[in-house]
Amino acid sequence: MGTRWSARIVGAPAGVQAGSEAVLARVISQMSQWEPGSNLSRFNRGAPGTWRSLPPEFNVVLAAGLQVAEASGGAFDPAMGALAELWGFGASGRTDAVPDAARIAEALRLGGRSEIEYDPLLLRARRYGRAALDFSGIAKGYAVDAVAAHLRGLGLADWLVEIGGELRGSGIKPDGQPWWVDLEAVPGVAAAPFRVALHGLAVATSGDYRRYFEVDGRRYAHTLDPRTGMPLDNGVVAVSVLHGECMLADAWATALTVLGPEAGPALGEREGLAMRMVTRDGREVLSPALVAMLE
């Protein structure tokens, strides 16, 4: 997944690291866009119109991604792989070049979730046009959940799991304190520090400051708007979502970032999401669900 992982476990038994790594290896073998032999890569290389059976974990992530895509009006899209490749944020690596409008329009017309047919009853899907799945906005969160499920299966109740800045906590630390986590500060933005307790909760953050490239003095962020095909430039620099599932926190953080400073909080409130949004001018927006948690 191109990132690091860690787990802090109270009373960790022998072999827990190897078991957790096996869980992560299974997720990678199914959902990594950088592994040519993964289920996702083979799906994207498959002939358009051909049904492909989905492993159970892959099915869970695709179903969740499509649900968030529908609920967000397309602000999140698990099938924007062709668009990500076009902008140099896919498996092929950076291009540091701005694609022309015609190529962006073609990627939008021939790709995206509208070109994915999903059959939840038979656990299968097929693609049309140039549609390509890209789980980079949801798979890390799912991987956190998968490791968490592994730890619970071992009877472990007190732990904190982190993958690339997405976290999920359970129980308490040996000193009796919950797993306190400081949300990542945004470089160059004067926002107050923010700390949350992950007691049976996960948190994921989406931001425009982690991956980007610059051309002629203009910065192009890696977070793309699936509706326009363009990198974000809406004034939102970071959105954090707290949720019982890290997979959904991950996907919703991306969707609300794309929706922007007005529509994002409005949808977050309708969905009952615990959300914190930070804008480039340092404004902080907390959803009613998050305010209720803090009270």
Side-chain angles (χ1 to χ4, degrees):
M1 294 182 177
T3 190
R4 302 171 66 90
W5 76 280
S6 66
R8 300 182 182 184
I9 306 166
V10 178
V16 67
Q17 179 173 339
S20 299
E21 289 175 343
V23 169
L24 294 174
R26 187 169 68 248
V27 174
I28 290 168
S29 71
Q30 293 185 27
M31 307 176 204
S32 173
Q33 65 201 62
W34 292 278
E35 295 292 335
S38 72
N39 292 90
L40 183 143
S41 294
R42 286 185 281 122
F43 180 92
N44 290 341
R45 290 197 304 268
T50 302
W51 287 106
R52 295 194 70 93
S53 297
L54 309 178
E57 295 94 336
F58 190 109
N59 177 73
V60 167
V61 173
L62 178 58
L66 291 173
Q67 289 169 1
V68 174
E70 182 65 24
S72 66
F76 179 85
D77 193 333
M80 56 179 291
L83 194 61
E85 289 288 343
L86 187 62
W87 280 96
F89 297 122
S92 298
R94 293 175 56 177
T95 63
D96 290 346
V98 178
D100 60 50
R103 295 178 67 194
I104 295 172
E106 181 184 35
L108 290 173
R109 181 173 60 86
L110 298 177
R113 75 190 198 282
S114 63
E115 298 299 313
I116 297 291
E117 187 174 358
Y118 170 58
D119 183 346
L121 296 179
L122 297 180
L123 302 186
R124 63 179 186 170
R126 58 182 171 180
R127 70 187 190 97
Y128 298 98
R130 289 178 52 200
L133 295 177
D134 182 339
F135 288 168
S136 59
I138 192 171
K140 280 194 303 181
Y142 176 81
V144 170
D145 291 335
V147 173
H150 172 66
L151 298 180
R152 289 198 308 269
L154 295 176
L156 300 170
D158 305 302
W159 40 260
L160 178 70
V161 176
E162 181 266 341
I163 300 178
E166 325 293 29
L167 303 101
R168 181 167 173 171
S170 174
I172 57 177
K173 297 188 293 183
D175 62 3
Q177 288 289 314
W179 299 102
W180 290 104
V181 172
D182 291 326
L183 299 187
E184 184 177 7
V186 180
V189 175
F194 202 92
R195 176 172 289 188
V196 296
L198 297 185
H199 184 72
L201 283 173
V203 64
T205 299
S206 175
D208 75 345
Y209 54 92
R210 291 175 176 166
R211 291 178 59 203
Y212 59 89
F213 67 87
E214 293 184 355
V215 174
D216 297 330
R218 179 177 175 182
R219 188 170 73 166
Y220 296 88
H222 84 283
T223 302
L224 305 174
D225 188 336
R227 303 165 301 177
T228 66
M230 296 295 294
L232 290 194
D233 187 19
N234 60 12
V236 175
V237 292
V239 171
S240 298
V241 172
L242 281 83
H243 197 284
E245 294 183 66
C246 198
M247 171 181 68
L248 292 176
D250 197 2
W252 274 116
T254 299
L256 299 182
T257 300
V258 170
L259 285 170
E262 303 301 330
L267 181 59
E269 182 173 354
R270 289 198 300 272
E271 292 288 330
L273 297 171
M275 177 215 74
R276 178 195 186 229
M277 176 181 286
V278 178
T279 60
R280 190 161 298 282
D281 59 6
R283 185 164 64 98
E284 180 184 68
V285 181
L286 306 182
S287 70
L290 182 56
V291 172
M293 284 184 178
L294 299 175
E295 292 177 345

